[in-house]
Structures are given as structure tokens and as C-alpha cells.
Amino acid sequence: MTAKPRIALVIGSARPTRFADKPAQWMLKQAQARTDMEVELVDLRDHQLPFFAEVASNLHAPSKDPDVLRWQERIAGFDGFIFVVAEYNHSITGTLKNALDQAYKEWNRKPFTAIAYGGAGGARALEHLRGIAVELQMVSTRSAVHIGGSDFMKVFPMGGNKPIEEIEQALLPAAKNALDELSWWASATMAARATTTSAAAQHPISGKQ
């Protein structure tokens, strides 16, 4: 039997007054209700990462900082990701960008989707994330969940501060599509990575010239 993909739901904001917990908990509930993936919350508040200061990406040189190494180990075991994306000044948070930069190999050939929020539904931030992810050799789903406009103001603390369930009928179709696509890509990339690993083990490249 093929193992279920292990998915990390990554909260991409660490501010004390962040809004991220509302969409994160709602999206976690949608993902955990499924039978085709195992989902775990990963909160960047729990990983006090320094600003990137390594000699290079760990694609080129091993990282040295113990906190960075723990972060790389934390994400290495996941087969896909759901990012909770806050839009700050038309882009992702510095916290999320730094977390992405602190690893490379651990992101490779794995899919992700997102729940994004902001006045424009976090769309501009998510497009930036997709561009970054291409360099990390990740696969983006087409679908994502966007909380924007009047729906955002209804649930945002500086707006109506209503429970997210009050707008979930507008979010559920997108969430299903996003998670369906994530599940498909996670299974596909797991199989491809397993094949590549098996082939490399059977035909190791000799270091002799």
C-alpha cells in the first residue's frame, strides 16, 4: 500500500497580532477531514530562524547554524506543503521568505498550495511565492484559497472579526480543488522521487575519471 503524503501546513506570519491563525485553523480542518493525506501544523513562531547568513544555499554547501539545521530536518520529511500567506506590501512576509531561503534540497520536487488573504485576496503575495518556489524546484497547484474584499473585512480583527465559518461557503469549493490538486501532485512526486532514489542506488556514479 502506498503511504499517504505527509503535508505541512506552514503558518507564514509570526507577528504577535497576526490574523493567520484563523485561516490556518480553518484550512487545517479541511485538510484533516480528508483520507488521502496526513497534515501537520508547522508554525514559524516555533522556529526562531536567524536572517540567512550561511555561506551559500545548502544546495551548494552544508548549513552551519543549529537552528537552521533543525528547520531543514523539520521540513525534509514532508511530501507537500500548504502555506498560509499574508500579503504585506504586495508580497509575502519576510518571515516566510527567510524560512524558504534557509533550505533548498528539502523543498525540491514537492508540491504546494496556499490559503492567502488580504485586500486583494493575497493574490499578489501568492504570485511572488510561486516565483520563489520555481527556483526551489517546487510544484504549485493551480488552485488556491483566497480571502479578500468584503469577506476579508468580515473576518479580519480590524473589521467585523467574525468567525471564518461565516464566509466558508465562498471558500469551500476552492479549498477542495486546491487540496485535490495537492494530493495528486504529492502522490505523483513521491512516486517520481522514489524511482529516482532507487535508480541512483542501483547505478551509483563512480567518483573515478
Side-chain angles (χ1 to χ4, degrees), residues 6-195:
R6 292 189 67 234
I7 306 297
L9 191 150
V10 181
I11 302 181
S13 172
R15 288 188 308 122
T17 58
R18 70 187 183 187
F19 169 68
D21 295 291
K22 266 189 180 179
Q25 290 300 324
W26 183 86
M27 194 67 175
L28 183 65
K29 178 181 176 182
Q30 309 313 309
Q32 289 183 332
R34 299 175 64 100
T35 59
D36 57 354
M37 60 179 68
E38 295 179 355
V39 187
E40 185 176 333
L41 192 69
V42 175
D43 192 340
L44 293 185
R45 279 182 178 170
D46 298 331
H47 297 273
Q48 299 300 312
L49 294 169
F51 286 121
F52 183 80
E54 302 291 336
V55 296
S57 160
N58 73 345
L59 171 67
H60 302 294
S63 300
K64 302 290 188 181
D65 189 288
D67 290 327
V68 171
L69 293 172
R70 280 192 289 271
W71 170 243
Q72 292 170 358
E73 183 179 358
R74 179 79 172 103
I75 62 173
F78 291 106
D79 303 303
F81 303 90
I82 304 166
F83 292 107
V84 182
V85 179
E87 182 167 313
Y88 290 6
N89 299 319
H90 291 201
S91 191
I92 62 175
T93 65
T95 302
L96 179 54
K97 179 59 166 66
N98 187 55
L100 291 164
D101 290 343
Q102 295 287 12
Y104 187 90
K105 295 181 293 183
E106 295 76 12
W107 303 115
N108 284 182
R109 299 171 181 175
K110 297 177 183 178
F112 73 95
T113 193
I115 179 166
Y117 58 88
R124 295 164 297 202
L126 181 50
E127 286 307 300
H128 280 196
L129 175 59
R130 284 171 169 149
I132 295 163
V134 167
E135 178 57 25
L136 296 173
Q137 301 186 46
M138 300 181 79
V139 181
S140 173
T141 62
R142 177 183 182 275
S143 299
V145 182
H146 295 274
I147 307 174
S150 61
D151 280 346
F152 177 61
M153 292 311 300
K154 186 178 292 185
V155 297
F156 190 57
M158 296 179 69
N161 201 25
K162 301 290 187 181
I164 201 167
E165 284 74 17
E166 293 207 6
I167 64 166
E168 73 174 0
Q169 290 307 310
L171 307 179
L172 285 169
K176 181 181 183 305
N177 289 340
L179 293 172
D180 283 350
E181 292 173 22
L182 180 65
S183 176
W184 191 94
W185 279 110
S187 296
T189 52
M190 284 172 66
R193 291 198 312 274
T195 299

